[in-house]
Amino acid sequence: MLEEAHSVLRDDPVMATLLDRHDPYEEPDWDEYERLCISIINQQLSTASATAVRERVFDRLEGEVTPETVLAADDGALRDAGLSRSKVEYLRNAARAFQNGDFSRSGLANHSNDEVIDLLTEIRGIGEWTARMYLLFVLERPDVLPLGDLAVRRGIEQLYANGEELTRAQMREIAEAWRPYRSVATRYIWAEYESE
């Protein structure tokens, strides 16, 4: 898929530059629950803060980030690692959901993006942004454009409007050129935004 996506994205001169500059596919191979935990931790935090909190939480869990270890973990230890009371609750809600349902790649393979978002947002603490991160990073759906993400919006504004504010409609129009690989383009926009 990546080769085909790169060929489509290279038609956009701005995106072609990013393709030569970054490799946003170098992150560790997190499993489904770990990746969801990372998205919950990342909610409303800067990249640097989120990374620091994630590392401390994963250390407290001794690298074993599973529904079972999260449910068994001491509240105080998770809070000391930097999680708010509500985020501890959200991680636990997700843990229970994962124990009771199949949120794996194969379990959700026959669900549309909207159906996946509906299923995930039934879990208290998982909103549309987190569900879209799951579509993008875990299920690797090729055409997700998460305009609810501040870094994506700022990145598009910097790259396509010299930092001037754009409406979401204008951003969607810019992203039309990336179809059906808006997820891939999004990863490059993040990589550029985070490198500054």
Side-chain angles (χ1 to χ4, degrees):
M1 175 194 86
L2 262 186
E3 220 170 279
E4 198 176 306
H6 286 171
S7 142
V8 167
L9 296 177
R10 281 199 184 279
D11 289 340
D12 175 334
V14 173
M15 201 50 69
T17 305
L18 301 187
L19 293 177
D20 294 334
R21 198 179 297 165
H22 301 288
D23 182 3
Y25 286 87
E26 288 184 318
E27 71 169 23
D29 190 21
W30 311 108
D31 74 21
E32 290 96 330
Y33 180 69
E34 285 175 315
R35 193 66 188 97
L36 184 60
C37 286
I38 291 167
S39 291
I40 291 170
I41 291 167
N42 288 355
Q43 290 171 0
Q44 299 177 336
L45 290 179
S46 70
T47 303
S49 299
T51 300
V53 172
R54 183 199 77 221
E55 287 172 358
R56 289 195 304 267
V57 169
F58 280 33
D59 282 349
R60 292 283 154 92
L61 298 170
E62 297 175 359
E64 285 292 313
V65 183
T66 66
E68 293 70 30
T69 60
V70 167
L71 290 170
D74 177 68
D75 269 27
L78 293 175
R79 302 247 311 128
D80 289 348
L83 290 178
S84 64
R85 196 176 306 282
S86 56
K87 284 193 182 178
V88 171
E89 180 196 337
Y90 299 163
L91 291 180
R92 294 213 162 119
N93 291 344
R96 284 187 281 274
F98 268 64
Q99 285 182 320
N100 297 323
D102 188 354
F103 291 92
S104 67
R105 291 172 184 96
S106 59
L108 294 173
N110 294 324
H111 290 75
S112 71
N113 289 356
D114 287 341
E115 288 168 341
V116 171
I117 290 170
D118 288 345
L119 281 169
L120 286 170
T121 54
E122 284 175 12
I123 304 167
R124 184 170 146 67
I126 296 179
E128 194 167 313
W129 178 85
T130 305
R132 287 188 187 285
M133 295 304 104
Y134 199 79
L135 284 170
L136 214 146
F137 288 104
V138 175
L139 304 182
E140 296 179 338
R141 298 286 172 93
D143 200 35
V144 177
L145 180 67
L147 291 181
D149 187 90
L150 181 65
V152 171
R153 292 195 311 273
R154 293 290 173 268
I156 291 172
E157 287 169 348
Q158 286 171 2
L159 290 163
Y160 291 86
N162 294 318
E164 295 292 315
E165 199 170 318
L166 294 172
T167 65
R168 290 190 190 204
Q170 290 170 313
M171 292 180 199
R172 276 191 281 277
E173 198 174 310
I174 289 165
E176 277 303 303
W178 311 334
R179 278 185 186 273
Y181 299 108
R182 292 179 300 175
S183 298
V184 179
T186 294
R187 283 182 174 232
Y188 282 94
I189 287 165
W190 269 318
E192 175 70 9
Y193 182 78
E194 288 171 6
S195 70
E196 291 185 0

